[in-house]
Amino acid sequence: ETGVTQTPRHLVMGMTNKKSLKCEQHLGHNAMYWYKQSAKKPLELMFVYNFKEQTENNSVPSRFSPECPNSSHLFLHLHTLQPEDSALYLCASSQEAAGGLLNEQFFGPGTRLTVL
Amino acid sequence: AQTVTQSQPEMSVQEAETVTLSCTYDTSESDYYLFWYKQPPSRQMILVIRQEAYKQQNATENRFSVNFQKAAKSFSLKISDSQLGDAAMYFCAYYGANSKLTFGKGITLSVRP
C-alpha cells in the first residue's frame, strides 16, 4: 500500500450505532488530519494531530472522537450521530517541519458516511 | 479569519480548449500559500499547483498555470489543452499563519469531447 488509505470506503449506520473510521499513511509523515466534506460546502477541518498530539479541535461535537495511536494511524470514533453528519470524511497527512516550512497534504480517498 | 471564495459552482470546457477557474480570498496576512486541489469523481484529492505569496512569478505545472494577483487577492487556475481526465472538482485553498488549510466550496469542471 502506498500513500494514504482509508477504511471503510462506505459506511451506513443508524443513529444509535458506534463505528470507527480508520486512516493509515505510508509516507512517513508526522501530521495527520480529519476533514469533513459536505455537498456544496467547503471542506471543514475537524482534527489535527502533530507528532501524535492533538493540536487542533475545531469545535467538533463530542460524538466524534479521534484517536492517534502512532504517527501512521488515525481513527475517528463515531457514536450517536445525527443524519446531518452524513458526509465524506477525508483523512490527510503531511510532513511538518520546523520553521514553518509548508509541505503538501496528501489525502486519502475518504469514507462516505450515511447516517440513517 | 481567512475566507476563500469560489463563486462559480460549475464550468464546462471543450476538449483541447483553455478554461480558467476563479478564486478570491480574504486575508490580512502578507505571507501565505495558495493551492489548487483536484478531486476526480470517487478518487483521491491531489495537489495540482501551489503558489507562495512572496513569489511574484506565477506558478506553472505543465498544462496548469495560475494568475496570482496579490493586491486583488485573486488566484485563478488556467488549464490549457483541456483533456477528458481534467473533469473533476477543483478546490482553491489558503494556508496561513494559523497553519490550517482553508478551502473554497469547489467548482465542478466538465470536459466535453
Side-chain angles (χ1 to χ4, degrees):
Chain A
E1 288 277 18
T2 59
V4 182
T5 58
Q6 290 185 243
T7 55
R9 294 293 306 276
H10 300 272
L11 178 63
V12 179
M13 59 187 289
M15 289 190 284
T16 59
N17 291 157
K18 290 184 179 181
K19 297 287 184 183
S20 295
L21 309 185
K22 178 183 176 182
C23 175
E24 185 172 0
Q25 59 96 0
H26 310 268
L27 301 167
H29 290 165
N30 56 17
M32 297 186 77
Y33 312 78
W34 279 117
Y35 289 89
K36 177 183 179 182
Q37 184 177 11
S38 304
K40 303 191 187 306
K41 292 178 66 176
L43 269 73
E44 302 170 53
L45 179 64
M46 301 174 71
F47 300 103
V48 180
Y49 276 84
N50 205 322
F51 294 96
K52 299 188 300 177
E53 299 294 323
Q54 184 174 313
T55 60
E56 192 75 37
N57 175 349
N58 275 358
S59 302
V60 179
S62 60
R63 57 186 184 269
F64 294 92
S65 174
E67 178 190 0
C68 188
N70 54 62
S71 58
S72 298
H73 294 85
L74 184 64
F75 294 89
L76 188 62
H77 303 300
L78 317 170
H79 64 98
T80 59
L81 294 192
Q82 304 298 311
E84 59 264 29
D85 296 322
S86 299
L88 182 67
Y89 288 84
L90 295 172
C91 174
S93 71
S94 68
Q95 182 64 26
E96 297 304 300
L101 188 66
L102 173 65
N103 290 308
E104 174 188 350
Q105 287 187 22
F106 290 80
F107 285 82
T111 295
R112 175 69 63 185
L113 174 67
T114 303
V115 182
L116 302 176
Chain B
Q2 292 78 27
T3 58
V4 177
T5 302
Q6 294 179 254
S7 56
Q8 306 155 300
E10 298 177 351
M11 283 195 77
S12 180
V13 63
Q14 188 74 38
E15 193 176 7
E17 297 295 309
T18 296
V19 64
T20 299
L21 311 182
S22 64
C23 172
T24 58
Y25 57 95
D26 187 27
T27 185
S28 58
E29 299 173 343
S30 57
D31 286 332
Y32 49 87
Y33 298 81
L34 295 164
F35 303 86
W36 278 99
Y37 279 88
K38 171 186 178 182
Q39 187 179 39
S42 302
R43 293 180 62 187
Q44 285 167 255
M45 187 157 357
I46 58 172
L47 180 66
V48 175
I49 198 164
R50 62 185 276 175
Q51 174 81 41
E52 287 87 348
Y54 66 86
K55 290 186 178 179
Q56 293 185 341
Q57 188 173 7
N58 288 325
T60 61
E61 286 288 341
N62 300 314
R63 297 183 295 108
F64 298 87
S65 62
V66 298
N67 183 4
F68 173 47
Q69 302 290 327
K70 191 173 184 179
K73 297 178 184 175
S74 170
F75 182 60
S76 60
L77 174 70
K78 186 172 81 170
I79 306 174
S80 304
D81 185 25
S82 297
Q83 301 174 1
L84 296 178
D86 295 333
M89 277 201 77
Y90 287 83
F91 293 92
C92 179
Y94 173 101
Y95 184 95
N98 65 1
S99 302
K100 293 190 296 185
L101 272 176
T102 300
F103 287 84
K105 290 184 179 181
I107 179 172
T108 299
L109 176 68
S110 59
V111 181
R112 305 186 302 275

